[in-house]
Amino acid sequence: MVVWAIANQKGGVGKTTTTVTLGGILAQQGNRVLLVDTDPQASLSYYFGVDAEELSHSVFDVFTAGDSLDKDKVLDSLCSTKLDSLFILPSSMALATLDRTMGTQPGMGLILKKAFAKIADEFDYVLIDCPPVLGVLMVNAVAACDKLLVPVQTEFLALKGLQRMMHTLEIMSKSQKRDFDYIIVPTLFDKRVNAATEAYRNLCETYKGKVWSGVIPVDTRFRDASQAQSPPSVFSPKARGVYAYKNLLTQLQTKVGHVS
C-alpha cells in the first residue's frame, strides 16, 4: 500500500482538487483507493456529498479509539463513492479539538500510521487531504506517508507560505530522525499572467530538484466536477487539468514502481 499526503500550510492552493483528481485516476486504473479527510472543514467529504456531521463514524473515531483501534473500526468508518474502488474516510468538525484535548499524549502523532497498517491489505493507495495548519493532524499525515505532495499556487503569497511548510518539514525531520520524500506541485497556473510565470520561475530556482517538471493549469472543469460531486477524471476525462494530473501521476508511479 502506497500512502501519499497532500499538504501545505496555506489554503486555496489545490490540496483537495489534487487529492480527488489523483484518487479518481488511480481508481479508474483498477486500484483500490482510500481518500482520507483530515481537515475539520471537511471539503473532501462534502465534495462527494458526504455530510460529515450526519455520520455516526469518521476519522475522529480512529484518533480517539486508543487501544481499541482495530481493522474493523477503521473499515466501519469508511464511506463509498460512485466509483466502486474509491472510498473515503470522512472528516468531522470534532477534529478541531484534537490539538487541545489530545495533542500532548504520547504516540499521538502516529495514529494514522498505525491505522493504515491495519488495513494495508485492503487498499493499493491512500491519499490524505491535510488541513492548512500545523498541528497533530498534519503531523500524523506526514508521519504516515511514503511521499508528500505539496501543491503550491503560482503566485507570490503562496510562495511565501511554502517557506512555512518547508520549515515544518525540517523540524519534523529532526524530531523523527528521518528525511521526508516530497515533491512540490505548481497549481492554478495561468500562462497568460506574467505574475504566474514569474512565480513559477522563482519556485523552480528556489527549490531546484524538488519541483515537478509540469504544472496544473487553471481549469474551470475542476469546479464543474466539484458541483457534480464527481472526480474530474470521470466528469471530464479530456480536460486539460486532468491531463496534467495524469502526467503527474505517471511520474509518481514510476518513482514507486507502480505504473498501471
Side-chain angles (χ1 to χ4, degrees):
M1 184 173 75
V2 179
V3 181
W4 294 333
I6 296 85
N8 193 327
Q9 287 174 244
K10 186 181 185 305
V13 297
K15 293 188 295 295
T16 300
T17 298
T18 298
T19 304
V20 171
T21 309
L22 291 179
I25 297 169
L26 285 166
Q28 288 177 295
Q29 289 179 344
N31 296 290
R32 284 182 61 82
V33 182
L34 175 62
L35 306 183
V36 182
D37 191 351
T38 62
D39 189 342
Q41 296 185 22
S43 295
L44 176 63
S45 303
Y46 288 125
Y47 186 106
F48 288 97
V50 176
D51 189 339
E53 300 317 304
E54 294 185 355
L55 299 174
S56 56
H57 299 291
S58 71
V59 70
F60 184 73
D61 297 278
V62 172
F63 277 99
T64 57
D67 293 337
S68 68
L69 180 63
D70 57 20
K71 181 176 182 178
D72 288 340
K73 184 174 287 291
V74 179
L75 294 179
D76 286 346
S77 300
L78 306 187
C79 295
S80 59
T81 71
K82 296 176 183 177
L83 288 177
D84 290 341
S85 59
L86 183 66
F87 296 83
I88 300 172
L89 180 52
S91 177
S92 166
M93 286 184 63
L95 289 174
T97 68
L98 283 181
D99 280 291
R100 174 170 47 83
T101 59
M102 304 176 67
T104 59
Q105 292 185 13
M108 193 62 188
L110 298 174
I111 291 178
L112 281 184
K113 186 173 184 177
K114 293 176 181 177
F116 295 158
K118 297 181 184 299
I119 59 170
D121 58 343
E122 296 288 335
F123 294 97
D124 300 301
Y125 287 88
V126 175
L127 279 67
I128 313 169
D129 189 16
C130 298
V133 293
L134 176 60
V136 69
L137 294 166
M138 184 182 289
V139 168
N140 262 270
V142 174
C145 74
D146 301 302
K147 194 177 192 72
L148 177 66
L149 280 59
V150 186
V152 179
Q153 183 178 358
T154 45
E155 57 100 12
F156 176 72
L157 291 179
L159 300 191
K160 299 297 290 184
L162 178 60
Q163 294 177 3
R164 293 194 298 273
M165 188 68 213
M166 294 298 101
H167 183 59
T168 294
L169 280 183
E170 183 179 347
I171 293 173
M172 289 189 64
S173 294
K174 291 179 180 178
S175 64
Q176 297 191 20
K177 296 181 173 58
R178 59 169 285 203
D179 291 327
F180 293 99
D181 185 13
Y182 70 92
I183 183 169
I184 297 170
V185 181
T187 60
L188 297 165
F189 180 75
D190 188 342
K191 63 182 180 181
R192 300 167 299 177
V193 178
N194 289 336
T197 303
E198 181 67 15
Y200 177 68
R201 184 182 65 80
N202 289 339
L203 186 65
C204 293
E205 290 179 353
T206 304
Y207 301 98
K208 190 173 298 184
K210 286 297 185 179
V211 181
W212 174 48
S213 57
V215 295
I216 305 299
V218 172
D219 191 338
T220 58
R221 302 302 279 170
F222 288 140
R223 183 176 62 248
D224 296 339
S226 175
Q227 291 176 343
Q229 298 180 346
S230 176
S233 59
V234 175
F235 180 80
S236 186
K238 295 184 179 180
R240 58 178 182 163
V242 172
Y243 179 77
Y245 273 113
K246 286 182 177 178
N247 288 337
L248 170 62
L249 183 57
T250 296
Q251 179 173 327
L252 294 172
Q253 289 178 315
T254 301
K255 294 291 185 179
V256 296
H258 284 255
V259 178
S260 300

